[in-house]
Amino acid sequence: MNMLLELIVLLAACGVALCFKPWAALRATELRSPWLAAVVLLPFVWSLQGVLPGGPPLQLSCASLLVLMLGWPLAVLTCVPVAICTAFIDGSGTASALHQAVWNGVLPATLALGIGLLTRRWLPQHLMVYILARGFGATLLAMALVGGLWLLRHPLPPGTDVAAVLTGRWLIAWSDAVLSGMLCAIFVAWRPQWLLTYSDRRYLPVAPR
């Protein structure tokens, strides 16, 4: 049943993403290199799983950073080949690829998008708000919520300590958030063209004379 539900979620997300013509983002030549780098590097990141004894895998997602860089539609579609390549690297099979695409890609990306839109609506349009709220805060909350949802949907193996799993999920959420916030700050400073969701006009308003 979990696998069927994951398939439905993935197909629904990809269907919505395709409605927004995500390939249009790649018409900007500046985004092609970071997109290709994500497709090549993320499978290795996703396959490096730290596993609690007898518990679920804990791993970085970087889906929130993909949303900031590529926009939600292209980020969601990118998670599909990344999950397939991850399954090929670690030999985990089709079911694992589907699980990865949903729980490490679609869900964190979608939650990060929703939280990010709330910050853009209710917080000041400032450079540090973009970096701290969207780059760091939205990633932290999205990963923490996904970790909680995972525990609700998946029974833990016998003998697993729920508190230890929650602690692990929280630490992974912080790790993902720190990485996303750090790279977001670097890209804003040196490669703002790699962030589809950023613009100087919005986050660096010209002071009135």
Side-chain angles (χ1 to χ4, degrees), residues 83-94:
I84 294 172
C85 291
T86 301
F88 178 78
I89 290 172
D90 58 22
S92 53
T94 304

Side-chain angles (χ1 to χ4, degrees), residues 33-48 62 82 85-86 89:
S33 293
W35 174 77
L36 183 60
V39 173
V40 172
L41 296 178
L42 275 185
F44 295 97
V45 175
W46 284 17
S47 63
L48 295 176
C62 299
V82 169
C85 291
T86 301
I89 290 172

Side-chain angles (χ1 to χ4, degrees), residues 28 30-31 34 69 187 190-196 198:
E30 298 88 353
L31 285 177
M69 295 176 64
F187 293 161
W190 300 102
R191 290 291 187 273
Q193 65 271 22
W194 286 5
L195 295 165
L196 189 64
Y198 173 81

